[in-house]
Amino acid sequence: MKHLLRLVALAVALAVSGSALAQDKASLRLNWLLYGFHSFFYLGVDKGYYKEEGIDLTIGEGQGSGRAVQIVGAKSDTFGLSDGSSVIAGITKGAPIVAVMGIMNKSPFAIITRADANIKTVKDLEGKTVAATAGEAGLVIFPAILANARMGPDSVKFLRIDGAGKIVAMLEKRVDAMLGGLENQALILPQRGMPVYTIPYADVGANTLGLVIHVNKETVDKNPDLVRRFVRATQKSIAYAEKNPEESVAAAIKVKPDLDKELALKQLKAGLALQRANDGANQPIGWMSPNDWALTLKLMKEYQDLQTDMTPTNFYSNQYTAAK
């Protein structure tokens, strides 16, 4: 009898051990180079949340949202992180992907003004000069903000300049404001000695979807449980980072030691403040608002000349955020 019990115990131990070793390999492609807001993904790896869900996750830095869409569409990476407008654009061009989780549901786009320019509203921008990069998403939909404020398309002057040059132009006071991110440039400028005021796009009628997790449709069809487990682990990571932001940033610094700890912490907190949709306070982490998808699609059709007969439900699915 004792011999039999030992055999049973050994069999159970081997089964548990085998289960622990059976990890699905998966990869996540970020939208850009690692910065503070990305840190909770690394926290999830460090804390073992993905491993607990049977996922051996590797994370790669990115070269833009559009590139992440292409990579996941080609199945070179399992999951991708991109802004909602890039996901829509990719799908309408044939990328076989679907968004399964909202990471930044409120738009991070903002008009960032010099505090000494005394610009507090969109109306205050009339006749002012704003730095922007040609083709950036915030610039493309800027006419919608002017229209909401009942201002003409030529009410604001633009200095077209590259991304790094926008910050320099602000610091040199060659412009009154710039287009940028609440969790990025809006934090970098004060760190460099320039107080700023921000006008979030989400507050002035242009709340396009921020960052979302997307996956190839073939993965959804063949391994939907992997998607559920990935979302669940990411939800745990975000929830832990909300309560322990310093620990989250520390996990990222393990991977990228030259990360500015103070700036990264500010970026994480600013990004987490944009995590939930305006109408998603009582929804699970990662839930995406149908209204925000509809508005993003509407603005893209109107200001990016997007030609599509698709509806918002063609681009996303909320079924995975509620998975238990």
Side-chain angles (χ1 to χ4, degrees), residues 264-317:
L265 188 59
K266 290 178 179 178
Q267 290 171 331
L268 173 61
K269 290 179 178 180
L272 289 175
L274 304 171
Q275 198 278 313
R276 291 186 181 275
N278 284 329
D279 55 348
N282 297 318
Q283 298 291 344
I285 289 175
W287 180 84
M288 298 170 284
S289 170
N291 295 329
D292 292 339
W293 276 104
L295 177 60
T296 302
L297 180 59
K298 175 180 179 293
L299 291 175
M300 290 182 69
K301 285 181 176 180
E302 189 170 353
Y303 296 105
Q304 296 187 29
D305 195 28
L306 182 71
Q307 303 297 315
T308 180
D309 294 326
M310 294 183 183
T311 63
T313 53
N314 292 113
F315 306 111
Y316 78 102
S317 171

Side-chain angles (χ1 to χ4, degrees), residues 39-51 57 233 236-237 251:
S39 66
F40 59 80
F41 291 114
Y42 296 88
L43 173 73
V45 172
D46 196 51
K47 296 287 290 183
Y49 292 151
Y50 292 99
K51 186 170 288 187
L57 182 68
K236 292 178 185 177
S237 301

Side-chain angles (χ1 to χ4, degrees), residues 27-103:
S27 56
L28 168 65
R29 181 60 54 183
L30 299 176
N31 61 312
W32 199 243
L33 300 176
L34 169 56
Y35 74 113
F37 183 65
H38 293 143
S39 66
F40 59 80
F41 291 114
Y42 296 88
L43 173 73
V45 172
D46 196 51
K47 296 287 290 183
Y49 292 151
Y50 292 99
K51 186 170 288 187
E52 288 171 5
E53 293 290 348
I55 300 173
D56 179 9
L57 182 68
T58 57
I59 305 171
E61 293 185 303
Q63 297 176 312
S65 288
R67 180 60 179 152
V69 165
Q70 293 173 351
I71 290 172
V72 174
K75 296 188 291 186
S76 297
D77 279 308
T78 320
F79 300 94
L81 181 67
S82 299
D83 66 81
S85 59
S86 293
V87 169
I88 290 175
I91 292 174
T92 56
K93 293 176 183 176
I97 63 170
V98 61
V100 294
M101 182 181 191
I103 297 296

Side-chain angles (χ1 to χ4, degrees), residues 83-290:
D83 66 81
S85 59
S86 293
V87 169
I88 290 175
I91 292 174
T92 56
K93 293 176 183 176
I97 63 170
V98 61
V100 294
M101 182 181 191
I103 297 296
M104 190 181 284
N105 285 288
K106 294 179 184 176
S107 173
F109 297 145
I111 304 163
I112 304 167
T113 74
R114 294 188 353 243
D116 62 0
N118 198 31
I119 299 172
K120 299 294 178 67
T121 69
V122 177
K123 285 279 191 183
D124 294 335
L125 284 169
E126 189 160 6
K128 306 294 185 181
T129 302
V130 179
T133 301
E136 68 174 295
L139 178 61
V140 173
I141 61 173
F142 190 80
I145 292 174
L146 293 179
N148 285 338
R150 298 183 180 180
M151 295 169 64
D154 298 324
S155 301
V156 177
K157 303 172 186 176
F158 280 100
L159 173 65
R160 307 299 174 92
I161 197 167
D162 63 38
K166 290 193 295 186
I167 289 179
V168 175
M170 285 282 282
L171 293 173
E172 294 179 350
K173 297 189 177 184
R174 289 188 284 127
V175 294
D176 304 290
M178 64 172 283
L179 303 185
L182 290 166
E183 86 299 12
N184 199 349
Q185 295 96 333
L187 300 173
I188 292 174
L189 285 165
Q191 190 184 51
R192 297 189 182 179
M194 173 167 281
V196 299
Y197 183 82
T198 58
I199 304 173
Y201 276 35
D203 294 346
V204 288
N207 185 41
T208 54
L209 254 294
L211 297 175
V212 300
I213 294 290
H214 52 88
V215 62
N216 195 288
K217 287 185 176 179
E218 185 175 314
T219 303
V220 170
D221 293 338
K222 292 184 176 181
N223 198 352
D225 187 55
L226 171 62
V227 180
R228 292 188 188 93
R229 287 181 282 124
F230 178 88
V231 170
R232 198 157 52 220
T234 305
Q235 288 173 321
K236 292 178 185 177
S237 301
I238 292 173
Y240 191 90
E242 287 176 332
K243 296 180 179 178
N244 305 276
E246 293 84 0
E247 194 171 337
S248 183
V249 168
I253 291 176
K254 287 181 182 179
V255 177
K256 196 169 186 176
D258 61 346
L259 209 60
D260 184 319
K261 181 178 178 180
E262 181 182 352
L263 177 60
L265 188 59
K266 290 178 179 178
Q267 290 171 331
L268 173 61
K269 290 179 178 180
L272 289 175
L274 304 171
Q275 198 278 313
R276 291 186 181 275
N278 284 329
D279 55 348
N282 297 318
Q283 298 291 344
I285 289 175
W287 180 84
M288 298 170 284
S289 170

